[in-house]
Amino acid sequence: MKKILLTAALFLACFGGFAQAQEFKDDVKKLVRMTIDTRSMYTAKMGLTYDLEGEEKEKVTKDYDAIVMEYLGAFESYYLSKYTHAEVKEMISFYESPAGKKIIKDKKDLSNNKFPKGKEWDTKLDEINKKY
């Protein structure tokens, strides 16, 4: 009887650990989707496949999707290795707040170099690169 109870306890502990690990992975996936502009990835895919048809379009789409999944997976692995589940939950809470939503919106403009100082910075870096 003790063996049955011990086995059941170990099974439940393992199952509970798996469920927690899966919840952590799901939260990390959510965080990555919140912080990375996947709409621009979709737009890029549409541009790549716009003039293609049939099997060729399917092949390009499949290859592109695989690259995107690898890219997003690298971010997920990074978050899983660097942060605790509690920290990821805090980040999600922040990014769901009004201030977090504003940062995400503004981040797109900053990364697309719409911020005036960013353009200035790029120009100066190009000058240095050409100089040396």
Side-chain angles (χ1 to χ4, degrees):
M1 184 68 169
K2 286 182 183 180
K3 288 182 183 181
I4 293 173
L5 290 175
L6 183 59
T7 303
L10 286 173
F11 175 76
L12 290 174
C14 289
F15 183 73
F18 173 77
Q20 287 177 340
Q22 188 60 46
E23 183 182 334
F24 184 22
K25 288 178 183 180
D26 291 344
D27 284 345
V28 165
K29 189 176 292 251
K30 179 179 180 178
L31 178 63
V32 168
R33 297 299 188 278
M34 291 173 82
T35 57
I36 294 180
D37 184 16
T38 54
R39 286 175 292 172
S40 64
M41 293 176 178
Y42 176 77
T43 302
K45 179 170 70 172
M46 299 315 302
L48 282 173
T49 60
Y50 181 76
D51 290 330
L52 303 177
E53 294 180 10
E55 192 175 306
E56 187 178 24
K57 186 172 187 169
E58 288 176 27
K59 285 180 182 179
V60 171
T61 298
K62 182 179 177 185
D63 289 346
Y64 185 86
D65 289 346
I67 291 168
V68 168
M69 293 309 291
E70 181 180 334
Y71 177 77
L72 295 176
F75 277 95
E76 291 168 12
S77 294
Y78 176 82
Y79 282 119
L80 285 166
S81 69
K82 297 290 183 180
Y83 298 98
T84 66
H85 193 183
E87 290 170 325
V88 168
K89 284 182 175 187
E90 287 178 30
M91 286 186 264
I92 289 170
S93 292
F94 171 73
Y95 283 120
E96 287 177 337
S97 73
K101 288 177 182 178
K102 185 173 182 180
I103 285 175
I104 289 172
K105 180 183 171 289
D106 291 344
K107 185 176 141 182
K108 183 178 178 184
D109 287 342
L110 291 171
S111 66
N112 288 338
N113 213 8
K114 292 181 181 175
F115 189 67
K117 293 290 183 188
K119 291 178 185 177
E120 224 175 271
W121 174 256
D122 281 350
T123 302
K124 289 179 181 182
L125 288 178
D126 283 343
E127 290 171 7
I128 291 171
N129 194 27
K130 289 176 185 174
K131 186 176 179 180
Y132 299 101

